[in-house]
Amino acid sequence: MSGVLVLDRSQTRACLDPARVLTAVTRALVAISRGEVSAPARIAAQAPAGLLGAMPGYVPGLGLAAKLVSVFAVPGRTGGSAHRGVVALFDEHDGRPLALMDAEPVTAVRTAAVATISMRALARPRPDRIAVLGTGVQARAQVELLATTNADAPLVVGGHDLERARRLAELHPNASAGSVEEAARGADVVFCCTSAREPVLDPSWPAEGAHISSVGGSHGHELAPDTVRAGSLFAEWPGAAASAPPAGAHELQDIPAHRITLLGSVLDGRHPGRRGPTELTVFKSTGHAALDVAAAAVVHEVARANGMGTTLDM
């Protein structure tokens, strides 16, 4: 089929099959750790009220894609931010544009996927209690994915807005809602999915030997320095520590490279990951273009198979 397949937000979201996204993102993480991915560090143009980021990437066998995404504050919501933009997928062999899709669901679902993969690889088996901190778009994507992958595990959604937390908890069959502290205290796994500019998690709250996944903090520290110092650290790519924000993580600046293990090297067995039941494992996500490539490839494959979207000549 010639032309470019264009998918709106609802169509993009419908094509993000959870199982396929988890498989594709795992493949992308392994490719990153092996040095097989071509992706320059993320750049951003700063506007007075937000930023516009650009993330091109190539993953062998998955494709070639680029994301343009804006991150702006949500009017009337303190600390909230919206991620809006587009992802363009190209043929990796001849460079033809294949698809154009909504970046917001792509970003949310691939980020939830990488956080879930970190839990599978690094947390103790069969967690008794999972916490999701946050009540925005990313927290929603995380709860929705956990509803398909960990429906039996007790989950608590923690947020400053308890009504929003309760609404998110309704998306999971075994979830409740509470404050941030109530959700995190005693949790075996904590997903930090906020737009915080300062730490949201007290290091004393999670259970001993917990796994913490932090995917927020684009504008500041989501994790406290004590948590970073105490944990075994994992990331998607070396630049999470070596590059300054917005490409790198605020929490990992000045952290020695030897302290950070790439998640993909755990997934393919080159690194053991967790070494004991009382070890604190910390995964810090900055996002990576390879993950967008992975999710976009899934969207395109599912859309083509189901006759979704509109084909335009570009």
Side-chain angles (χ1 to χ4, degrees):
M1 177 186 288
S2 61
V4 179
L5 189 63
V6 179
L7 298 137
D8 64 20
R9 178 169 299 178
S10 63
Q11 291 168 330
T12 302
R13 184 178 291 113
C15 292
L16 285 161
D17 177 77
R20 294 191 190 191
V21 172
L22 285 164
T23 298
V25 168
T26 297
R27 183 174 175 182
L29 288 165
V30 171
I32 293 170
S33 71
R34 292 177 175 175
E36 299 169 351
V37 169
S38 175
R42 177 172 50 206
I43 60 172
Q46 300 285 343
L51 61 85
L52 176 66
M55 301 171 66
Y58 166 65
V59 183
L62 286 177
L64 176 69
K67 181 169 73 176
L68 284 173
V69 61
S70 65
V71 183
F72 277 68
V74 177
R77 186 177 165 206
T78 303
S81 63
H83 295 63
R84 303 182 182 93
V86 294
V87 176
L89 179 69
F90 297 80
D91 187 286
E92 64 178 295
H93 303 292
D94 62 19
R96 289 180 299 111
L98 299 175
L100 190 67
M101 62 197 71
D102 191 318
E104 184 175 325
V106 168
T107 302
V109 174
R110 62 82 155 153
T111 304
V114 74
T116 301
I117 290 165
S118 80
M119 175 184 69
R120 290 179 170 181
L122 300 171
R124 291 176 302 202
R126 297 177 296 280
D128 292 328
R129 179 183 172 92
I130 298 174
V132 174
L133 308 185
T135 58
V137 171
Q138 193 54 56
R140 180 187 180 94
Q142 190 65 62
V143 172
E144 288 179 333
L145 185 56
L146 291 171
T148 69
T149 62
N150 296 79
D152 295 334
L155 183 148
V156 184
V157 179
H160 299 301
D161 186 328
L162 289 180
E163 183 53 38
R164 288 174 62 91
R166 291 188 188 102
R167 289 199 297 269
L168 280 191
E170 292 173 356
L171 302 175
H172 188 284
N174 197 16
S176 59
S179 68
V180 171
E181 180 177 352
E182 288 169 341
R185 190 169 287 281
D188 301 300
V189 177
V190 181
F191 293 97
C192 298
C193 309
T194 74
S195 55
R197 295 175 181 268
E198 58 185 30
V200 298
L201 180 68
D202 188 293
S204 69
W205 291 345
E208 184 181 26
H211 172 67
I212 298 171
S213 172
S214 168
V215 304
S218 298
H219 303 288
H221 293 248
E222 189 176 47
L223 298 180
D226 286 351
T227 300
V228 175
R229 282 194 294 268
S232 297
L233 304 179
F234 300 82
E236 293 136 337
W237 67 302
S243 299
H250 291 275
E251 295 93 337
L252 300 183
Q253 300 301 293
D254 302 320
I255 297 294
H258 73 269
R259 281 207 58 208
I260 299 173
T261 300
L262 299 189
L263 181 57
S265 68
V266 178
L267 297 174
D268 74 350
R270 287 177 291 127
H271 190 281
R274 174 179 288 274
R275 298 177 186 273
T278 62
E279 180 182 12
L280 172 68
T281 55
V282 178
F283 172 65
K284 181 61 197 182
S285 172
T286 61
H288 192 280
L291 311 181
D292 297 314
V293 173
V298 171
V299 171
H300 183 243
E301 179 183 356
V302 173
R304 287 287 300 274
N306 291 279
M308 298 177 67
T310 302
T311 302
L312 300 179
D313 186 15
M314 290 186 182

